[in-house]
Amino acid sequence: MTVRGDAELIARAGHLFAGARHEFVCAARDLDTWSQPEAREAISGRMHADGTAGFVVRKLLTPSALADEASRRHLNEITAAGGRVRISSAPLPHETIIIDRRVMILASPEAPGPREFTVTTSPALVSGVHALFLAAWDNATDLAAYLSGDRPHLDDDNRAVLRALGAGYTDETAARGLGLSVRTYRRRVAELMATLEADSRFQAGLRAGELGLTG
Amino acid sequence: MTVRGDAELIARAGHLFAGARHEFVCAARDLDTWSQPEAREAISGRMHADGTAGFVVRKLLTPSALADEASRRHLNEITAAGGRVRISSAPLPHETIIIDRRVMILASPEAPGPREFTVTTSPALVSGVHALFLAAWDNATDLAAYLSGDRPHLDDDNRAVLRALGAGYTDETAARGLGLSVRTYRRRVAELMATLEADSRFQAGLRAGELGLTG
DNA sequence: GCCGGGGTGGCAGCTTGTTGCCATCGCATC
DNA sequence: GATGCGATGGCAACAAGCTGCCACCCCGGC
């Protein structure tokens, strides 16, 4: 089934949004669709109605979804309501929505004129795409982690320390290389570890590696 | 269009395989379908016919596809012929094939009886799934990197040690938790570090993080 | 000049990690 | 049963890392 334009999507498929029972997943480049108040209402209503019990909302987006303030606010609302948001560095389809693993809604590739949406219920299609979604989801980073905190802004000093640690130098060698006393170098390391919330140097390395802080 | 069983798939959709011109991508848990000689022939024939020019083969698989020797051999053949193979740690659909971004073939979820395949040509569906595939692809690791060297095969022991280190325990605590003596635990850590070619625990953590060895 | 705060570095004492050495144990082989 | 091999664990000595304490220096404000 194919519908043209947002209005028709709401008219013809709005009940699908409202009828979501267990799961609502969405992969998209940004939040365009969600500017449509009707769809948003339907889902957020459902989220609030069921509380957290058994209803899962997952949104997988690209960093461009964080471009404007309104989108960030909306995403924060979602997470506040128990939804989960992740950011993928890979390009994503313009819009893919899967409801309860039964219905799938795909937006057409970018084209002039009103957007087209395809609504599918074929179990093979839906479950196949759902699995692919999970694969993409698994490797994306949590919004909270992506935004603030976890990828802390490291100044040049910290970066230098990180590089020294990553090079495998002893504190002695590293401190000499950086023109610091061992005491200060260790202070820096301790600060870095605090920033990364690591209890051990190993853990700090792990976090640094996970966050791709090597460069 | 839905077909039942491998034989019918070949009969009804074999020409699609043979007609692939630009791209052949495939996401699957393992290589079951490829036990079908006809489909394999069609694609490998195409691959050899065109050489590397303009024809791309991509296979995204789970580690379980590497379980038996025959599969590994086949994957090596693919890469030797210019195809690209990656391994994803996330679960994947039972089988998803996209040809030239125009045709998509999905296997039904596991069920008794012959497998069902759904063949779709809807541009919206195909391009949407293709984008999801790319997102999953982007975050998977190359077969070569996965197999040899880069991602060393860690046995359960090593994994346990890795987890303990990642948890930030002291050696004392970790050893007790694993039911080992501190001496042996440290031996394990030393082995792990040797495997990761790390000079310090920090470096080991860094490597582990980079290689996604956390899970 | 005087003061106070922040970053630095030396020192000391402690914890943690690293490694070699050797005794022991289980196990398979001879 | 004897032998050898690999894995283990205790011990010890050393290296490395961690941190509190204090002295120092630089700088900006009083």
Side-chain angles (χ1 to χ4, degrees):
Chain A
M1 183 176 99
T2 302
V3 299
R4 284 174 185 283
D6 298 353
E8 195 182 337
L9 174 66
I10 300 300
R12 301 272 299 271
H15 66 283
L16 295 173
F17 288 80
R21 300 196 152 275
H22 310 296
E23 189 191 49
F24 179 87
V25 308
C26 164
R29 203 167 50 76
D30 47 39
L31 288 167
D32 280 357
T33 297
W34 299 92
S35 54
Q36 302 304 314
E38 295 87 343
R40 192 189 292 192
E41 287 302 315
I43 288 302
S44 32
R46 167 63 60 180
M47 282 170 67
H48 290 116
D50 279 14
T52 56
F55 190 65
V56 182
V57 172
R58 292 202 255 205
K59 275 177 170 291
L60 181 62
L61 301 165
T62 67
S64 72
L66 302 171
D68 65 307
E69 182 55 37
S71 298
R72 282 201 297 278
R73 202 159 353 101
H74 176 223
L75 292 178
N76 283 331
E77 284 166 20
I78 291 176
T79 53
R84 299 167 65 192
V85 178
R86 288 195 179 176
I87 306 296
S88 165
S89 52
L92 288 173
H94 196 283
E95 186 114 31
T96 302
I97 295 168
I98 304 176
I99 299 172
D100 290 344
R101 300 202 192 190
R102 291 187 310 108
V103 191
M104 177 165 70
I105 300 169
L106 283 142
S108 300
E110 207 65 67
R115 290 197 297 169
E116 284 188 15
F117 297 93
T118 306
V119 183
T120 320
T121 56
S122 153
L125 284 169
V126 175
S127 72
V129 174
H130 191 269
L132 270 180
F133 173 87
L134 285 185
W137 174 267
D138 260 28
N139 292 307
T141 60
D142 227 64
L143 175 64
Y146 186 91
L147 267 188
S148 61
D150 252 24
R151 180 185 276 262
H153 293 303
L154 300 180
D155 57 19
D156 289 347
D157 275 4
N158 282 339
R159 248 166 253 226
V161 173
L162 205 54
R163 245 177 295 121
L165 282 169
Y169 299 145
T170 68
D171 289 7
E172 199 104 81
T173 315
R176 240 180 303 124
L178 296 176
L180 295 172
S181 76
V182 179
R183 181 69 187 85
T184 306
Y185 175 76
R186 287 185 175 148
R187 241 196 281 268
R188 296 286 168 77
V189 175
E191 287 163 15
L192 190 64
M193 283 171 55
T195 313
L196 296 173
E197 295 176 60
D199 291 332
S200 65
R201 289 197 181 195
F202 180 91
Q203 228 180 1
L206 195 63
R207 297 243 196 293
E210 285 170 353
L211 298 172
L213 262 44
T214 29
Chain B
M1 184 176 101
T2 301
V3 299
R4 285 174 186 281
D6 298 352
E8 195 180 340
L9 175 66
I10 299 300
R12 300 273 300 272
H15 67 284
L16 296 173
F17 288 81
R21 299 196 151 275
H22 310 297
E23 189 191 49
F24 179 87
V25 307
C26 165
R29 204 167 50 74
D30 46 41
L31 288 169
D32 280 359
T33 296
W34 300 93
S35 54
Q36 303 304 314
E38 293 87 347
R40 190 189 293 192
E41 286 303 315
I43 288 302
S44 31
R46 167 62 60 181
M47 283 171 66
H48 290 116
D50 278 15
T52 56
F55 189 66
V56 182
V57 172
R58 293 202 255 206
K59 274 175 171 292
L60 181 62
L61 300 165
T62 66
S64 71
L66 302 171
D68 64 304
E69 182 55 37
S71 299
R72 281 202 298 278
R73 201 157 354 102
H74 176 223
L75 292 178
N76 283 332
E77 284 167 20
I78 291 176
T79 54
R84 298 169 63 190
V85 178
R86 288 194 180 177
I87 305 297
S88 165
S89 52
L92 288 173
H94 196 284
E95 186 112 32
T96 302
I97 295 169
I98 304 176
I99 299 172
D100 290 343
R101 299 202 193 191
R102 293 185 311 107
V103 192
M104 178 164 70
I105 300 168
L106 282 141
S108 301
E110 208 64 67
R115 290 197 295 171
E116 282 188 16
F117 297 93
T118 307
V119 183
T120 320
T121 56
S122 153
L125 284 169
V126 174
S127 73
V129 174
H130 192 268
L132 270 179
F133 173 86
L134 286 185
W137 174 267
D138 259 28
N139 292 307
T141 60
D142 226 64
L143 176 63
Y146 187 90
L147 269 189
S148 64
D150 255 22
R151 179 188 278 255
H153 289 304
L154 301 179
D155 56 21
D156 289 349
D157 275 3
N158 282 338
R159 249 166 250 238
V161 172
L162 204 54
R163 246 179 293 121
L165 282 168
Y169 299 145
T170 69
D171 290 7
E172 199 101 84
T173 315
R176 241 181 301 125
L178 297 176
L180 296 173
S181 76
V182 178
R183 182 68 187 86
T184 305
Y185 175 76
R186 287 184 174 148
R187 239 195 282 267
R188 296 286 165 77
V189 174
E191 288 163 14
L192 190 64
M193 283 171 56
T195 312
L196 296 174
E197 296 176 60
D199 291 333
S200 65
R201 289 196 180 196
F202 180 90
Q203 227 180 1
L206 194 63
R207 297 242 195 293
E210 285 170 353
L211 297 172
L213 265 41
T214 28

